């Protein structure tokens, strides 16, 4: 990712602010928040400014949507522009961030046409009381589901838990002040951190790990009070933690892997709270994914070509050639043969580890980079998220031939399937319409939902 944070935030301020839309009475509008100005000195004023809108624009349920209400509660009938016209404006004016110029155009000729109209997940609810936020415009792994009713996400300087069953929001960890471990482990920074800017997040079962702009790692068990472990992966000036993946070793031990901008990938054993492996690559690593059998690692970063490496030695097994820009997302299908990579050339490439000479499919987004990829645990579906407005859900079991396109307005902070595949959560970041979207898997017995 770009090394000059100030420059990249200036770019975002110019090109990622959602156009303001007003109605004739000048009392209804929505606009995207300029990335990089979150947590500024006047944030409290910003929150007060929009409190009155929270009362005006309510949450949206599936029954509301069936009656014709916009899923985000945007009152199009009162605006001076229709939804279709505004969608067209966004498609025409949204500028994709590229490190390599014209990378999006270069990838187009290889894209696989897919059939639209799939209905795999249906809208369930949009919760505006949960404000999802982003601090780095290229890093969008800030939403994680641990059950079909439980989701964790970043909201300003807080990591919050939302229960879609009780409609209750709970703060899990506040990093605006001083955070220090309450347990003593060798190598843990007992002095902790102050005002951590969280760049990435991972939650699995009872373990939560937050990564920061200065290489910070904060580890907390959700069933224990306080923080268990704090570490700084590197003191390099370009230290940002780009991604974290939690996984189980064959022995049953819980590990996590951190990908950093200092070109390093580090593996930690959470039973002993110890660094166990460290690999260095020729360029900053933006995302890493471990194969289901634990033998192979996908490494993608500030290079058009990714690499598949041996997870024990870090040695290259095979380069992954085809993308035109830098990659920020990767994921394995649970069968261990198929995996996917997401790139700023507006594509997701699907690969088969049994033949890596070329990608199996090239799937294209509408607006911009593919910044998040997730497979369902049963391997049936794959979701890929653009930086804003669109999440695509593909029928992975049937060769990615058909997709469901989920269409809304706002920057995407993250996407997450629940472990049982029943729910899909999408974090939406917008100053007025920031929220958490929930979609539920379509089943033949959906009529039973009306009884709940």
């Amino acid at each position: 990712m770009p090394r000059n944070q100030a420059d990249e935030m200036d770019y975002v301020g110019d090109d990622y602010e959602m156009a303001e839309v007003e109605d004739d009475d000048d009392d209804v509008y929505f606009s995207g928040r300029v990335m990089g100005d979150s947590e500024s000195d006047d944030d409290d004023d910003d929150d007060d400014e929009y409190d009155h809108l929270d009362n005006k624009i309510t949450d949206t349920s599936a029954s509301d949507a069936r009656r014709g209400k916009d899923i985000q509660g945007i009152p199009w009938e009162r605006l001076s522009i229709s939804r279709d016209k505004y969608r067209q404006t966004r498609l025409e004016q949204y500028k994709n961030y590229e490190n390599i110029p014209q990378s999006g155009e270069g990838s187009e000729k290889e894209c696989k046409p897919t059939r639209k109209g799939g209905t795999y997940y249906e809208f369930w609810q949009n919760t505006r009381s949960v404000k999802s936020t982003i601090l780095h415009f290229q890093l969008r792994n800030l939403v994680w589901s641990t059950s079909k009713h439980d989701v964790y996400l970043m909201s300003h300087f807080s990591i919050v838990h939302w229960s879609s069953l009780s409609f209750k929001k709970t703060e899990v960890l506040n990093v605006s002040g001083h955070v220090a471990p309450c347990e003593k482990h060798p190598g843990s920074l007992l002095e902790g951190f102050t005002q951590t800017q969280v760049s990435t997040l991972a939650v699995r079962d009872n373990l939560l790990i937050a990564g920061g702009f200065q290489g910070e790692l904060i580890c907390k068990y959700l069933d224990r009070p306080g923080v268990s472990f704090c570490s700084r992966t590197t003191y390099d000036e370009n230290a940002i933690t780009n991604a974290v993946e939690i996984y189980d070793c064959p022995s049953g031990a819980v590990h996590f892997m951190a990908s950093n901008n200092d070109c390093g990938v580090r593996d930690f054993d959470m039973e002993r709270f110890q660094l166990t492996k460290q690999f260095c690559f020729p360029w900053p690593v933006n995302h890493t994914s471990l194969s289901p059998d634990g033998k192979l690692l996908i490494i993608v970063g500030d290079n058009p070509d990714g690499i598949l490496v041996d997870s024990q030695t870090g040695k290259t097994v095979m380069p992954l050639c085809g993308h035109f820009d830098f990659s920020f997302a990767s994921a394995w299908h649970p069968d261990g043969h198929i995996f996917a990579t997401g790139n700023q050339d507006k594509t997701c490439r699907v690969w088969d580890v049994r033949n890596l000479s070329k990608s199996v499919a090239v799937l294209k987004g509408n607006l911009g980079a593919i910044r998040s990829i997730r497979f369902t645990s049963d391997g049936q579906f794959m979701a890929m998220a653009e930086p804003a407005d669109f999440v695509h859900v593909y029928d992975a079991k049937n060769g990615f031939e058909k997709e469901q396109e989920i269409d809304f307005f706002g920057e995407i902070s993250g996407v997450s399937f629940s472990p049982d595949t029943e729910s899909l959560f999408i974090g939406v970041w917008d100053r007025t319409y920031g929220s958490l979207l929930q979609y539920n898997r379509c089943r033949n017995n959906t009529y039973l939902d009306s009884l709940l």
Side-chain angles (χ1 to χ4, degrees):
M1 69 178 53
R3 292 173 182 268
N4 190 321
Q5 184 182 337
D7 288 349
E8 69 193 29
M9 291 309 181
D10 288 344
Y11 181 97
V12 172
D14 292 339
D15 295 309
Y16 283 75
E17 185 167 9
M18 209 166 165
E20 188 172 284
V21 179
E22 300 185 5
D23 73 349
D24 294 335
D25 297 328
D26 292 333
D27 65 346
V28 182
Y29 57 91
F30 61 100
S31 62
R33 188 169 189 170
V34 180
M35 297 196 184
D37 71 355
S38 59
E39 315 311 333
S40 62
D41 292 339
D42 60 353
D43 262 3
D44 291 338
D45 295 335
D46 281 348
D47 290 341
D48 292 341
E49 180 183 354
Y50 290 96
D51 279 347
H52 69 284
L53 290 174
D54 289 340
N55 297 323
K56 185 185 297 183
I57 305 162
T58 58
D59 293 350
T60 310
S61 67
S63 60
D64 291 332
R66 284 194 292 269
R67 290 194 296 267
K69 183 178 179 180
D70 181 83
I71 62 170
Q72 293 178 275
I74 301 171
W76 296 104
E77 70 282 358
R78 295 168 58 191
L79 301 180
S80 58
I81 188 170
S82 67
R83 190 187 195 282
D84 289 345
K85 180 63 177 176
Y86 191 67
R87 166 53 64 218
Q88 188 59 38
T89 300
R90 289 278 281 176
L91 289 169
E92 292 171 357
Q93 296 183 1
Y94 192 95
K95 186 177 179 182
N96 181 44
Y97 186 91
E98 298 174 335
N99 288 99
I100 299 176
Q102 283 78 54
S103 62
E105 288 77 2
S107 65
E108 282 188 13
K109 60 179 179 292
E110 295 186 59
C111 290
K112 172 181 182 175
T114 55
R115 290 182 291 123
K116 302 285 179 70
T119 308
Y120 312 128
Y121 284 79
E122 61 182 346
F123 174 75
W124 183 248
Q125 64 184 8
N126 182 56
T127 307
R128 294 192 61 254
S129 59
V130 184
K131 300 292 187 183
S132 181
T133 55
I134 306 164
L135 277 183
H136 194 292
F137 77 101
Q138 290 172 305
L139 305 178
R140 305 300 185 91
N141 295 300
L142 297 170
V143 175
W144 293 89
S145 170
T146 56
S147 85
K148 64 181 177 181
H149 300 302
D150 298 281
V151 62
Y152 297 81
L153 67 154
M154 284 303 306
S155 184
H156 300 293
F157 269 104
S158 292
I159 299 170
V160 299
H161 166 255
W162 169 255
S163 168
S164 62
L165 198 59
S166 65
F167 296 97
K168 184 179 179 181
K169 178 176 67 174
T170 308
E171 184 177 74
V172 176
L173 182 64
N174 189 309
V175 295
S176 62
H178 185 237
V179 175
C182 60
E183 302 174 17
K184 292 185 178 181
H185 301 283
S188 184
L189 286 177
L190 298 182
E191 67 270 26
F193 306 113
T194 301
Q195 292 187 332
T196 307
Q197 290 182 293
V198 174
S199 52
T200 193
L201 184 69
V203 185
R204 179 174 168 183
D205 299 325
N206 280 319
L207 178 60
L208 179 155
I209 300 169
F213 274 66
Q214 304 301 320
E216 303 99 330
L217 289 169
I218 300 172
C219 305
K220 173 179 174 56
Y221 281 96
L222 299 172
D223 56 352
R224 301 182 197 173
V227 168
S228 294
F229 181 72
C230 288
S231 177
R232 177 164 268 132
T233 56
T234 174
Y235 286 89
D236 189 285
E237 63 178 14
N238 193 29
I240 189 167
T241 309
N242 293 325
V244 172
E245 182 182 32
I246 303 170
Y247 69 95
D248 294 326
C249 284
S251 65
V254 178
H255 281 230
F256 75 87
M257 199 164 287
S259 308
N260 282 77
N261 229 43
D262 69 343
C263 307
V265 172
R266 297 165 177 85
D267 185 280
F268 288 81
D269 178 351
M270 289 307 295
E271 187 175 326
R272 297 180 293 119
F273 295 94
Q274 290 294 300
L275 176 67
T276 60
K277 290 194 291 280
Q278 181 172 338
F279 306 133
C280 191
F281 297 95
W283 24 261
V285 179
N286 295 330
H287 203 272
T288 305
S289 294
L290 183 70
S291 62
D293 64 6
K295 294 180 179 179
L296 296 171
L297 275 174
I298 308 165
I299 307 291
V300 297
D302 286 5
N303 192 65
D305 295 341
I307 47 178
L308 203 62
V309 305
D310 184 297
S311 65
Q312 297 304 310
T313 65
K315 292 183 178 178
T316 298
V317 173
M318 185 70 71
L320 304 172
C321 305
H323 279 301
F324 290 79
D325 207 315
F326 297 171
S327 292
F328 284 82
S330 63
W332 283 91
H333 188 283
D335 70 5
H337 300 306
I338 302 296
F339 63 92
T341 53
N343 192 274
Q344 291 184 157
D345 64 9
K346 299 184 184 180
T347 70
C348 167
R349 285 182 178 260
V350 181
W351 310 81
D352 190 324
V353 74
R354 295 163 293 191
N355 181 7
L356 292 169
S357 58
K358 62 178 294 186
S359 48
V360 173
V362 185
L363 309 171
K364 190 167 181 62
N366 296 327
L367 282 179
I370 307 305
R371 300 215 178 273
S372 299
I373 302 171
R374 301 283 185 268
F375 283 97
T376 52
S377 59
D378 62 0
Q380 178 74 57
F381 303 111
M382 183 193 81
M384 72 177 203
E386 300 188 46
D389 293 19
F390 294 101
V391 172
H392 307 262
V393 182
Y394 291 90
D395 185 348
K397 192 174 182 180
N398 292 298
F400 304 88
E401 299 285 344
K402 192 173 182 180
E403 67 163 298
Q404 174 184 0
E405 188 175 271
I406 299 174
D407 176 339
F408 50 92
F409 293 100
E411 297 288 319
I412 300 170
S413 63
V415 294
S416 182
F417 287 112
S418 59
D420 64 0
T421 80
E422 292 301 314
S423 298
L424 169 63
F425 293 95
I426 303 168
V428 182
W429 186 32
D430 182 71
R431 191 196 317 232
T432 305
Y433 287 88
S435 65
L436 182 68
L437 285 164
Q438 180 179 349
Y439 284 73
N440 285 354
R441 188 164 177 174
C442 296
R443 298 289 190 184
N444 292 330
N445 60 347
T446 50
Y447 68 92
L448 293 174
D449 291 341
S450 63
L451 302 176
L452 299 179

